[in-house]
Protein backbone atom coordinates (compact mmCIF):
# COMPACT_ATOMS: atom_id res chain seq x y z
CA UNK A 1 0.00 0.00 0.00
CA UNK A 2 1.41 3.35 -0.96
CA UNK A 3 0.45 6.42 1.00
CA UNK A 4 -0.32 9.59 -0.89
CA UNK A 5 2.48 12.06 -0.27
CA UNK A 6 1.38 15.59 0.48
CA UNK A 7 3.52 18.29 -1.00
CA UNK A 8 5.13 20.84 1.28
CA UNK A 9 2.97 23.66 -0.09
CA UNK A 10 -0.26 21.66 0.30
CA UNK A 11 0.64 20.78 3.89
CA UNK A 12 1.32 24.43 4.65
CA UNK A 13 -2.03 25.40 3.09
CA UNK A 14 -3.86 22.83 5.25
CA UNK A 15 -2.03 24.14 8.33
CA UNK A 16 -3.02 27.74 7.60
CA UNK A 17 -6.64 26.98 6.82
CA UNK A 18 -7.14 24.85 9.92
CA UNK A 19 -9.59 26.57 12.27
CA UNK A 20 -7.31 26.44 15.29
CA UNK A 21 -4.59 28.50 13.63
CA UNK A 22 -7.00 31.29 12.73
CA UNK A 23 -8.48 31.26 16.23
CA UNK A 24 -5.01 31.42 17.74
CA UNK A 25 -4.01 34.36 15.54
CA UNK A 26 -7.14 36.27 16.53
CA UNK A 27 -6.50 35.47 20.20
CA UNK A 28 -2.93 36.80 19.99
CA UNK A 29 -4.03 40.04 18.33
CA UNK A 30 -6.87 40.58 20.81
CA UNK A 31 -4.56 39.66 23.70
CA UNK A 32 -2.01 42.24 22.60
CA UNK A 33 -4.68 44.94 22.41
CA UNK A 34 -6.11 43.81 25.73
CA UNK A 35 -2.70 44.10 27.37
CA UNK A 36 -2.78 47.86 26.78
CA UNK A 37 -6.10 48.09 28.62
CA UNK A 38 -4.81 46.07 31.55
CA UNK A 39 -1.63 48.14 31.78
CA UNK A 40 -3.70 51.32 31.80
CA UNK A 41 -5.89 49.95 34.62
CA UNK A 42 -2.82 48.99 36.64
CA UNK A 43 -1.14 52.38 36.15
CA UNK A 44 -4.32 54.44 36.49
CA UNK A 45 -6.19 52.60 39.25
CA UNK A 46 -4.11 49.99 41.06
CA UNK A 47 -0.87 51.93 41.42
CA UNK A 48 -2.64 55.01 42.91
CA UNK A 49 -4.49 52.74 45.37
CA UNK A 50 -1.19 51.15 46.39
CA UNK A 51 0.33 54.64 46.41
CA UNK A 52 -2.14 55.64 49.11
CA UNK A 53 -0.23 53.26 51.38
CA UNK A 54 3.24 53.95 50.02
CA UNK A 55 4.48 54.89 46.58
CA UNK A 56 2.64 54.72 43.25
CA UNK A 57 5.55 52.98 41.59
CA UNK A 58 5.50 49.36 42.70
CA UNK A 59 8.85 48.77 41.02
CA UNK A 60 10.50 50.94 43.64
CA UNK A 61 9.72 48.45 46.40
CA UNK A 62 12.79 46.36 47.06
CA UNK A 63 14.76 44.79 49.88
CA UNK A 64 18.48 44.34 50.31
CA UNK A 65 19.52 40.74 50.82
CA UNK A 66 23.21 41.22 51.47
CA UNK A 67 25.18 44.31 52.37
CA UNK A 68 24.12 47.90 52.12
CA UNK A 69 22.24 48.39 48.85
CA UNK A 70 23.56 51.71 47.68
CA UNK A 71 23.22 52.95 44.14
CA UNK A 72 26.03 54.91 42.51
CA UNK A 73 24.40 58.02 41.01
CA UNK A 74 26.97 58.25 38.17
CA UNK A 75 26.76 54.66 36.87
CA UNK A 76 23.39 53.55 38.29
CA UNK A 77 25.03 50.38 39.56
CA UNK A 78 23.80 48.94 42.88
CA UNK A 79 26.18 47.56 45.49
CA UNK A 80 24.83 44.54 47.37
CA UNK A 81 22.12 42.07 46.41
CA UNK A 82 18.77 43.77 45.90
CA UNK A 83 15.49 41.85 45.65
CA UNK A 84 12.92 43.73 43.56
CA UNK A 85 9.76 42.31 45.08
CA UNK A 86 7.75 45.32 43.95
CA UNK A 87 8.18 44.24 40.32
CA UNK A 88 6.92 40.76 41.19
CA UNK A 89 3.94 42.25 43.01
CA UNK A 90 3.18 44.48 40.02
CA UNK A 91 3.32 41.53 37.62
CA UNK A 92 1.12 39.42 39.92
CA UNK A 93 -1.47 42.20 40.17
CA UNK A 94 -1.42 42.62 36.40
CA UNK A 95 -2.02 38.89 35.99
CA UNK A 96 -4.89 38.86 38.48
CA UNK A 97 -6.52 41.88 36.88
CA UNK A 98 -6.14 40.36 33.42
CA UNK A 99 -7.61 37.05 34.58
CA UNK A 100 -10.52 38.78 36.34
CA UNK A 101 -11.39 40.95 33.34
CA UNK A 102 -11.15 38.03 30.92
CA UNK A 103 -13.30 35.83 33.17
CA UNK A 104 -16.00 38.33 34.09
CA UNK A 105 -16.24 40.11 30.73
CA UNK A 106 -15.61 37.25 28.31
CA UNK A 107 -15.70 33.73 29.76
CA UNK A 108 -18.69 34.05 32.10
CA UNK A 109 -21.03 35.76 29.59
CA UNK A 110 -20.04 33.25 26.90
CA UNK A 111 -20.62 30.31 29.25
CA UNK A 112 -24.07 31.65 30.15
CA UNK A 113 -24.89 32.16 26.47
CA UNK A 114 -23.76 28.63 25.59
CA UNK A 115 -25.76 27.18 28.50
CA UNK A 116 -28.93 28.95 27.33
CA UNK A 117 -28.25 27.75 23.80
CA UNK A 118 -27.77 24.15 25.02
CA UNK A 119 -31.07 24.30 26.94
CA UNK A 120 -32.86 25.61 23.86
CA UNK A 121 -31.27 22.89 21.71
CA UNK A 122 -32.26 20.21 24.23
CA UNK A 123 -35.82 21.52 24.27
CA UNK A 124 -35.88 21.49 20.48
CA UNK A 125 -34.60 17.91 20.43
CA UNK A 126 -37.20 16.96 23.06
CA UNK A 127 -39.98 18.36 20.85
CA UNK A 128 -38.54 16.48 17.87
CA UNK A 129 -38.42 13.27 19.93
CA UNK A 130 -42.02 13.81 21.04
CA UNK A 131 -43.07 14.27 17.42
CA UNK A 132 -41.29 11.05 16.47
CA UNK A 133 -42.93 9.16 19.34
CA UNK A 134 -46.40 10.48 18.49
CA UNK A 135 -45.82 9.60 14.82
CA UNK A 136 -44.89 6.07 15.90
CA UNK A 137 -48.05 5.85 18.00
CA UNK A 138 -50.18 6.91 15.02
CA UNK A 139 -48.54 4.26 12.86
CA UNK A 140 -49.21 1.63 15.53
CA UNK A 141 -52.88 2.66 15.68
CA UNK A 142 -53.14 2.38 11.88
CA UNK A 143 -51.56 -1.07 12.00
CA UNK A 144 -53.93 -2.18 14.75
CA UNK A 145 -56.92 -0.85 12.82
CA UNK A 146 -55.85 -2.74 9.70
CA UNK A 147 -55.34 -5.94 11.69
CA UNK A 148 -58.77 -5.52 13.30
CA UNK A 149 -60.36 -4.84 9.94
CA UNK A 150 -58.92 -8.03 8.45
CA UNK A 151 -59.75 -10.20 11.43
CA UNK A 152 -63.08 -8.65 12.27
CA UNK A 153 -61.90 -8.29 15.89
CA UNK A 154 -61.05 -5.36 18.07
CA UNK A 155 -58.11 -3.10 17.26
CA UNK A 156 -56.41 -3.97 20.54
CA UNK A 157 -55.98 -7.68 19.73
CA UNK A 158 -52.46 -8.55 18.64
CA UNK A 159 -52.97 -12.30 18.39
CA UNK A 160 -52.60 -14.41 15.27
CA UNK A 161 -54.66 -13.28 12.35
CA UNK A 162 -57.39 -15.74 11.48
CA UNK A 163 -58.95 -14.85 8.21
CA UNK A 164 -58.10 -14.27 4.64
CA UNK A 165 -54.98 -12.30 5.51
CA UNK A 166 -51.46 -13.34 4.59
CA UNK A 167 -50.51 -16.61 6.27
CA UNK A 168 -53.93 -17.13 7.78
CA UNK A 169 -56.42 -19.80 6.86
CA UNK A 170 -60.12 -19.36 6.41
CA UNK A 171 -62.71 -21.99 7.05
CA UNK A 172 -63.06 -22.72 3.30
CA UNK A 173 -59.63 -24.34 2.96
CA UNK A 174 -57.98 -21.29 1.49
CA UNK A 175 -54.41 -20.55 2.50
CA UNK A 176 -53.53 -16.90 2.41
CA UNK A 177 -56.68 -16.10 0.45
CA UNK A 178 -55.92 -18.40 -2.52
CA UNK A 179 -57.74 -21.63 -3.33
CA UNK A 180 -55.85 -24.79 -2.40
CA UNK A 181 -55.72 -26.78 -5.56
CA UNK A 182 -53.33 -27.89 -8.25
CA UNK A 183 -50.72 -25.33 -9.10
CA UNK A 184 -50.85 -23.82 -12.56
CA UNK A 185 -47.26 -22.57 -12.68
CA UNK A 186 -45.60 -25.84 -13.71
Amino acid sequence: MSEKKVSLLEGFKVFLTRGNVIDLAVAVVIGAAFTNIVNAVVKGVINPLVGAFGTQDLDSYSSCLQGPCTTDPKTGKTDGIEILWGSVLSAALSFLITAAVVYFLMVLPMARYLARRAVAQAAKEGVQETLEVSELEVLKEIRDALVAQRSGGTPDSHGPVSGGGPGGTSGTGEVGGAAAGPREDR
Side-chain angles (χ1 to χ4, degrees):
M1 290 183 208
S2 65
E3 294 181 12
K4 183 181 176 184
K5 297 224 177 199
V6 179
S7 73
L8 185 64
L9 190 57
E10 287 177 18
F12 185 65
K13 180 181 172 186
V14 168
F15 172 74
L16 288 180
T17 57
R18 190 180 309 158
N20 295 345
V21 174
I22 303 299
D23 292 342
L24 183 61
V26 169
V28 168
V29 170
I30 295 297
F34 192 71
T35 300
N36 292 334
I37 295 171
V38 171
N39 289 338
V41 169
V42 169
K43 288 179 183 175
V45 177
I46 301 299
N47 284 350
L49 288 175
V50 172
F53 301 106
T55 178
Q56 287 188 5
D57 185 17
L58 290 177
D59 292 336
S60 66
Y61 287 111
S62 64
S63 297
C64 194
L65 186 62
Q66 180 181 12
C69 292
T70 56
T71 305
D72 186 13
K74 293 181 181 176
T75 62
K77 191 174 180 180
T78 303
D79 294 334
I81 299 174
E82 187 177 22
I83 297 178
L84 302 172
W85 59 270
S87 297
V88 175
L89 180 64
S90 177
L93 285 175
S94 294
F95 172 76
L96 288 175
I97 292 168
T98 303
V101 170
V102 167
Y103 179 76
F104 290 114
L105 296 182
M106 295 178 176
V107 173
L108 192 61
M110 183 58 76
R112 287 182 179 168
Y113 168 74
L114 291 176
R116 283 195 309 261
R117 189 172 172 191
V119 167
Q121 183 68 22
K124 184 178 178 182
E125 288 175 2
V127 168
Q128 182 66 23
E129 186 176 308
T130 303
L131 289 176
E132 290 174 3
V133 168
S134 64
E135 185 177 309
L136 184 62
E137 291 297 322
V138 170
L139 289 173
K140 285 180 181 178
E141 288 176 10
I142 292 171
R143 179 202 61 204
D144 293 344
L146 288 173
V147 167
Q149 187 180 29
R150 286 186 183 164
S151 66
T154 62
D156 292 339
S157 63
H158 293 292
V161 177
S162 62
T169 59
S170 65
T172 60
E174 294 179 353
V175 176
R183 293 176 51 186
E184 298 282 333
D185 59 340
R186 292 186 205 173

